[in-house]
Amino acid sequence: MLDACAELVDEVGYEGLTTTLLAERAEVAIGSVYQFFPDKRAIVQALTLRTMEAYLQRLNERFAQDDLTHWWDGVDAGIDEYITMHRTVPGFRTLHFGDVVDLHLLAEDRDNNGVIAEQLARVLVDRFGIADTPRLRFTLEIAVEAADSLIKLAFRRVPDGDEQVLAEAKALIREYLHRQVDTSTTTAE
């Protein structure tokens, strides 16, 4: 059902999605949909959580590779995975991490991009020895918001992502983080 939901969200958007359409696409009885989900919002929340888990799994796999030698390689990997998921994961382009449905889907006390920033902070601290400070977390929240907006712009301009906008987004985020992280939060290398 979640795969059918992802396809439909890309085709008709969140507003056009109905449980009836979902049941038809998934080739299940409408009662089966309601057996697992009380409404379309719950279905989309489940899809978004699955997407978030997939993103974090992909990041963990990328971060486990030895080719990440500096913290900005980790940032680039995070952006690259986000772009790849925009291009390849059904429903991701429309839903991202739930902002269409609920800005606090991933955590009640933080917005979705804040949760992503927190995950990136953990990786930068654990993998690259960057000092875990409130400033680091704030800086990453700003960077995630900016990257999210610019990546959305790239995919609005060109269906597969405007490469020029994507390159500028990465350069902007990297430069911003380089100034913020290198001057205020890194430990001695």
Side-chain angles (χ1 to χ4, degrees):
M1 282 188 269
L2 294 180
D3 291 339
C5 179
E7 293 170 5
L8 284 168
V9 164
D10 279 346
E11 292 171 22
V12 301
Y14 176 73
E15 294 303 320
L17 178 68
T18 66
T19 53
T20 303
L21 276 174
L22 177 64
E24 290 172 4
R25 177 64 60 92
E27 299 178 354
V28 298
I30 191 73
S32 295
V33 173
Y34 287 115
Q35 179 181 359
F36 296 101
F37 305 104
D39 54 27
K40 80 174 185 178
R41 185 174 189 276
I43 298 164
V44 172
Q45 284 177 321
L47 175 61
T48 301
L49 289 172
R50 181 178 81 170
T51 302
M52 171 67 168
E53 290 169 2
Y55 178 72
L56 293 175
Q57 177 64 35
R58 290 167 86 143
L59 280 185
N60 286 334
E61 290 169 6
R62 286 287 300 270
F63 293 148
Q65 297 173 1
D66 289 333
D67 63 342
L68 303 178
T69 57
H70 200 274
W71 64 263
W72 60 66
D73 295 326
V75 171
D76 282 349
I79 293 171
D80 289 343
E81 287 303 325
Y82 192 81
I83 291 167
T84 298
M85 289 182 76
H86 255 273
R87 290 179 173 148
T88 62
V89 176
F92 187 81
R93 187 178 301 192
T94 304
L95 298 175
H96 308 284
F97 292 126
D99 51 349
V100 171
V101 180
D102 186 349
L103 287 174
H104 296 274
L105 176 64
L106 303 175
E108 288 183 23
D109 62 334
R110 301 190 59 135
D111 67 34
N112 299 331
N113 280 343
V115 174
I116 299 299
E118 185 176 306
Q119 295 292 328
L120 288 173
R122 265 193 226 129
V123 169
L124 294 178
V125 169
D126 294 346
R127 173 80 192 248
F128 300 105
I130 293 175
D132 190 1
T133 64
R135 179 69 185 165
L136 172 66
R137 297 196 179 249
F138 174 78
T139 299
L140 287 172
E141 283 190 55
I142 297 297
V144 168
E145 286 292 335
D148 184 44
S149 293
L150 290 169
I151 291 168
K152 287 176 184 175
L153 171 64
F155 282 87
R156 282 194 314 267
R157 290 180 64 152
V158 176
D160 201 36
D162 183 320
E163 289 297 335
Q164 188 175 9
V165 174
L166 294 172
E168 289 297 316
K170 285 179 79 171
L172 183 134
I173 298 308
R174 191 173 187 176
E175 178 60 28
Y176 170 71
L177 289 175
H178 183 72
R179 283 186 301 115
Q180 299 297 321
V181 172
D182 275 351
T183 61
S184 65
T185 61
T186 55
T187 57
E189 294 187 17

